[in-house]
Amino acid sequence: MTQPLLIEIGVEELPAVPLLKILPEIETSWTKILESNRLLCDFEFSYTPRRLVLWHPEFLTKQPDREEELFGPPVPIAFKEGEPTRAAESFAQKCGVPLSQIGRGEKGGKEVLYYKRTVAGEPVENLLEEMLRTWLASMRFGKMMRWGDQDAEFIRPVRWIVTMLGQKVVPVTLFGVRSGNETRVHRQVSFDPVKVETPKAYFEILEKGGVELFADRRREKILAEFDDIEADKGVQIGRDDELMEEIVAITEWPTALMGSFDEGFLKLPPEVIMTSMKEHQRYFPVFKDGKLHNAFVVVSNAYTDDFSQIVAGNERVLKPRLADAMFFYENDLKRGLDPEGLKQIVFMDGLGTMFDKSVRESKIAVGLAKRYATRLEEETGRSEGELKALAERAAMLAKADLLSEMVYEFTELQGIMGYYYAKAQGEDDLVAAAIRDQYLPDGEESELPEHLFAALEAIAYKLDNLMALFSVGKIPSGSRDPFALRRAAAGIIRIVSHFDIPFDLVETIEAFKGEYADFDTETLVKFFEERLYKAIDVNPSIVTAVLSSGERDLNEAVKKIEALKNVAESDDFKEVFTTFKRVANISKDLDLEGDLTVDPSLFEKEEERILWEAFKEVVSRDFGDYEVELDALFALKPELDRFFDHVMVNAEDEKLRRNRRNLVGNVYKAFKKIADIKEISI
């Protein structure tokens, strides 16, 4: 028999960020609890800031009965000379039946005493309290609270509980709160509990009481009101998915409202205004004609027909925030960017100050500017000498905004504020852009530096972090990476691939290694190579195959991996690959760096000559693309198949055997310039 089951855990306002972090786990946890109690069914989890709700349209009122098999002692032990022993009697006692009802079965190849019984399922009333206790205990939000005289913890105090199976309340006591059939509606509708007659009536009560239970509907309501505001006011609202999810989590009846602020504050950099509105007030920015407008959108949780006081209140709150920002900004502009103060800020024990770090970064940036001078000269129209001077200037000023009042207030604006201060004091546009983009990319989906010159400082910043921390033994292990070195390595990989620049790891590390305490270059190289497995969504054996070729240039490695990935994803690759796996097996004992001379005069079979001519034609081409080259090599499959079908590679004659193995070895060697095909697994 089934009945609808409604569970509501009423709480004081839940903090949005911790809730959103564990949201996927909440449903998973309840599913596991239902499974372990043999009560699995369809359910829907919903939440508002004041409640966690589980709705089961059809829930079993008791567990299904189950069959239980009991195995006893072997028959020779259970009976002696036809009489039951103490072992047999004990087993019958355990089963709760007379010995006459005990049967025989087989276990482990032996005849044993056996009993099968039906165990009645427990009613839900006996299970629900412990199920809910387990469920709530599984929600590890981070910081937890205790309140009153309770030892149990939760993210916020629990104030009411609804547990209704059909029209009946299932008695549950958690956190000192006894369950009932009374819920709460929006506070502006009523502070009093509202009685729930049936589970289905619950949803009507909330809707009439100013509570939109379902997060999807709250989100849809907000977005629809955004559209209305944009159409009515001729503006564009800056959509922010992360902020939207927070708003959805902290509102029960959301309403989007537009307010304004003094136009004079638009003198501030747009990022300052938007950051202040988002971080402090959870406002959405408003744009008009492609520029930040002196307006904002706030999503109210009020249940009212008159929002004028709410808009005015939010405008009053925002004004001093922006006034403070303006004060910080003007003070910073007066001081300008000066790296001298960085001498007072320690970077890390054993690695000097932030000024010392800036000096190291400048040396890397200048070295890179020299390495890529030809391309930079083409892109910027500047001379190599000028580019090296600008690279040094950018690196020395890059961290100076850490001394500013604005970055002290909004740490996420480091680099961005440096850009504005650099522009204000007349620094070169290239320098300003390099300061702004130095931390990019800062995540998998992050944007990249604007241009190659800016990318030099981004590489210098990340490479210094890696080399400096490796030099003092701060190497990530396991899942721990407190200094985000894996992200730094992944960022360098993305940059060199995006800008298509040569980046030999050993050469680069050795070029700048003198600035640090000695460390093992190969360890850092391997660290970069490990990031390649994460940087590209590909069969890991393809990455291994490319790295096994000895490739140490990050850009070329990425190109080879992408090329091999594309070839390997073709429909006929598995069939083609079988032939080339044989090529690899035959060649595994050959010295590919030794003498692989092929003497055509020793060919006895036409298939040898055909393969040799086809191979020479392929390697004579000038390939500008690894994928095209791989396709051409894999296209040798017909010639190789005929060769293997008609030619005995391991001939008795030593000269013939060596010549034929060298022929196959040359094919393998041509592949290994791109990837070691024997490492590929499909």
Side-chain angles (χ1 to χ4, degrees):
M1 179 180 175
T2 63
Q3 290 275 12
L5 173 65
L6 171 68
I7 298 169
E8 180 187 55
I9 309 297
V11 294
E12 293 185 9
E13 271 74 3
L14 293 165
V17 174
L19 173 64
L20 293 171
K21 281 184 179 178
I22 70 162
L23 207 53
E25 302 166 20
I26 293 177
E27 287 191 56
T28 302
S29 174
W30 185 244
T31 298
K32 290 178 180 178
I33 291 168
L34 292 176
E35 283 180 332
S36 66
N37 285 274
R38 294 183 288 115
L39 292 168
L40 186 61
C41 63
D42 292 334
F43 71 91
E44 186 172 5
F45 168 71
S46 304
Y47 67 92
T48 77
R50 298 180 66 204
R51 69 201 78 225
L52 302 171
V53 178
L54 292 166
W55 166 242
H56 315 74
E58 296 182 348
F59 197 85
L60 289 170
T61 56
K62 64 183 284 290
Q63 292 175 317
D65 296 342
R66 62 185 175 88
E67 298 293 328
E68 184 179 41
E69 292 183 305
L70 300 174
F71 294 91
V75 171
I77 295 175
F79 292 92
K80 297 292 185 181
E81 298 178 356
E83 294 298 321
T85 64
R86 180 62 183 161
E89 292 171 351
S90 296
F91 179 66
Q93 188 177 5
K94 175 184 175 182
C95 296
V97 296
L99 185 58
S100 60
Q101 294 184 24
I102 299 296
R104 300 187 182 191
E106 186 178 323
K107 185 177 182 182
K110 296 180 180 179
E111 187 181 23
V112 298
L113 297 189
Y114 171 80
Y115 183 68
K116 185 176 182 179
R117 65 186 177 188
T118 300
V119 179
E122 288 282 343
V124 170
E125 288 86 343
N126 296 351
L127 302 169
L128 192 57
E129 181 173 313
E130 188 56 35
M131 289 169 66
L132 288 175
R133 182 176 286 108
T134 303
W135 182 54
L136 295 173
S138 73
M139 299 180 198
R140 306 312 298 172
F141 295 91
K143 281 190 175 182
M144 305 288 274
M145 291 180 62
R146 291 192 184 98
W147 62 95
D149 58 356
Q150 298 297 309
D151 291 329
E153 298 179 322
F154 201 57
I155 184 69
R156 289 292 184 269
V158 173
R159 295 308 186 197
W160 78 89
I161 301 172
V162 175
T163 48
M164 293 187 67
L165 185 62
Q167 298 183 32
K168 179 183 176 183
V169 173
V170 179
V172 165
T173 301
L174 298 167
F175 303 101
V177 178
R178 187 170 177 79
S179 64
N181 63 344
E182 291 183 336
T183 186
R184 306 294 190 276
V185 294
H186 197 290
R187 288 193 180 97
Q188 286 182 283
V189 175
S190 175
F191 283 97
D192 298 327
V194 180
K195 188 173 182 179
V196 180
E197 298 292 347
T198 66
K200 290 185 178 180
Y202 168 80
F203 300 99
E204 296 177 8
I205 290 169
L206 292 189
E207 188 173 353
K208 292 177 181 177
V211 176
E212 177 49 77
L213 177 62
F214 302 105
D216 287 347
R217 293 183 188 174
R218 296 199 297 275
R219 188 182 302 103
E220 289 167 6
K221 184 176 188 293
I222 296 169
L223 292 173
E225 291 172 356
F226 276 16
D227 292 340
D228 292 341
I229 291 172
E230 289 177 334
D232 182 49
K233 304 294 184 181
V235 297
Q236 299 81 44
I237 299 170
R239 312 295 172 102
D240 184 315
D241 292 340
E242 181 183 6
L243 179 57
M244 178 62 73
E245 293 311 307
E246 281 193 48
I247 297 298
V248 168
I250 63 172
T251 55
E252 292 198 312
W253 192 260
T255 303
L257 309 167
M258 192 169 94
S260 63
F261 57 86
D262 192 303
E263 197 171 351
F265 288 123
L266 291 177
K267 295 176 184 176
L268 286 165
E271 293 89 345
V272 172
I273 298 173
M274 291 190 291
T275 301
S276 180
M277 291 196 299
K278 176 182 176 179
E279 299 301 323
H280 290 158
Q281 307 302 137
R282 291 194 175 107
Y283 295 163
F284 291 87
V286 175
F287 299 86
K288 192 167 188 176
D289 300 325
K291 296 181 180 179
L292 187 66
H293 189 47
N294 61 314
F296 62 89
V297 169
V298 58
V299 179
S300 168
N301 191 38
Y303 191 77
T304 180
D305 293 326
D306 182 6
F307 291 97
S308 58
Q309 292 301 311
I310 294 170
V311 172
N314 280 278
E315 290 175 341
R316 283 196 301 273
V317 169
L318 181 59
K319 184 176 180 179
R321 294 283 189 190
L322 295 182
D324 286 347
M326 183 66 83
F327 177 76
F328 298 148
Y329 183 57
E330 290 175 345
N331 282 350
D332 290 340
L333 287 175
K334 291 174 186 175
R335 294 191 191 96
L337 289 177
D338 184 353
E340 282 297 310
L342 295 174
K343 294 177 178 179
Q344 308 305 315
I345 302 176
V346 175
F347 172 49
M348 189 170 292
D349 287 343
L351 295 173
T353 64
M354 290 301 295
F355 187 88
D356 297 323
K357 175 173 173 56
S358 298
V359 170
R360 292 195 302 268
E361 287 184 20
S362 72
K363 291 179 179 179
I364 296 173
V366 170
L368 294 176
K370 180 179 180 181
R371 177 185 295 181
Y372 306 122
T374 301
R375 178 164 162 188
L376 286 167
E377 287 171 347
E378 292 174 358
E379 292 183 2
T380 66
R382 313 291 182 90
S383 68
E384 179 179 333
E386 188 178 4
L387 288 164
K388 287 162 64 176
L390 291 173
E392 181 179 15
R393 179 69 174 166
M396 291 306 300
L397 292 179
K399 308 299 180 293
D401 67 351
L402 297 177
L403 303 166
S404 68
E405 293 182 33
M406 190 68 81
V407 171
Y408 183 83
E409 181 71 13
F410 299 110
T411 56
E412 63 266 49
L413 292 180
Q414 57 187 295
I416 293 172
M417 294 314 303
Y419 165 78
Y420 285 105
Y421 299 147
K423 295 279 284 184
Q425 69 184 36
E427 299 292 341
D428 192 283
D429 286 348
L430 291 176
V431 170
I435 294 172
R436 179 195 61 207
D437 295 348
Q438 62 183 299
Y439 302 109
L440 299 179
D442 55 7
E444 288 184 14
E445 304 300 323
S446 166
E447 59 184 310
L448 289 157
E450 179 185 359
H451 44 60
L452 179 57
F453 184 87
L456 300 186
E457 174 55 28
I459 293 174
Y461 164 69
K462 294 169 176 60
L463 192 58
D464 176 71
N465 284 351
L466 286 157
M467 296 179 72
L469 288 159
F470 268 64
S471 74
V472 294
K474 303 290 186 181
I475 302 172
S477 59
S479 61
R480 286 182 50 77
D481 186 13
F483 305 109
L485 296 186
R486 292 189 179 100
R487 186 194 301 168
I492 291 175
I493 291 170
R494 283 190 63 196
I495 290 171
V496 300
S497 177
H498 176 77
F499 288 99
D500 194 14
I501 52 177
F503 199 86
D504 185 286
L505 279 171
V506 175
E507 177 187 317
T508 302
I509 294 168
E510 290 295 328
F512 304 115
K513 194 176 177 181
E515 300 297 322
Y516 308 89
D518 190 42
F519 63 92
D520 182 33
T521 297
E522 194 60 27
T523 301
L524 183 51
V525 169
K526 292 295 183 188
F527 184 79
F528 269 98
E529 290 178 346
E530 287 169 6
R531 292 302 91 209
L532 286 169
Y533 288 92
K534 300 289 185 180
I536 304 171
D537 182 18
V538 65
N539 176 342
S541 72
I542 287 179
V543 180
T544 302
V546 170
L547 295 178
S548 296
S549 72
E551 183 59 74
R552 291 302 180 90
D553 187 301
L554 280 180
N555 188 32
E556 296 305 308
V558 171
K559 288 180 181 180
K560 289 178 178 180
I561 292 167
E562 293 283 6
L564 187 53
K565 173 190 175 184
N566 292 338
V567 172
E569 288 176 349
S570 63
D571 295 336
D572 61 346
F573 181 73
K574 194 167 186 178
E575 180 185 351
V576 171
F577 182 65
T578 304
T579 297
F580 290 90
K581 197 75 171 178
R582 189 173 179 184
V583 169
N585 289 335
I586 291 171
S587 307
K588 63 184 178 182
D589 296 326
L590 289 176
D591 179 9
L592 298 184
E593 302 306 317
D595 182 15
L596 289 180
T597 301
V598 174
D599 184 354
S601 68
L602 294 175
F603 292 161
E604 292 186 344
K605 300 281 189 177
E606 181 66 10
E607 288 77 13
E608 293 176 90
R609 186 191 61 76
I610 291 172
L611 175 58
W612 178 241
E613 293 300 326
F615 172 73
K616 286 197 303 178
E617 192 279 325
V618 168
V619 296
S620 68
R621 296 187 219 166
D622 183 15
F623 294 100
D625 182 281
Y626 290 123
E627 186 173 345
V628 175
E629 187 172 356
L630 283 169
D631 283 336
L633 287 168
F634 278 119
L636 292 172
K637 174 180 166 56
E639 289 83 355
L640 280 164
D641 286 341
R642 286 193 293 272
F643 175 84
F644 290 135
D645 288 342
H646 297 93
V647 178
M648 175 66 72
V649 177
N650 291 317
E652 291 185 10
D653 184 282
E654 184 183 345
K655 287 185 178 180
L656 283 179
R657 182 170 63 251
R658 185 187 308 114
N659 202 56
R660 289 169 180 175
R661 284 169 61 84
N662 284 355
L663 174 52
V664 176
N666 272 282
V667 176
Y668 179 59
K669 184 177 181 179
F671 268 102
K672 200 173 179 185
K673 290 178 181 177
I674 300 175
D676 189 344
I677 53 177
K678 77 172 185 295
E679 299 294 340
I680 302 173
S681 58
I682 56 174

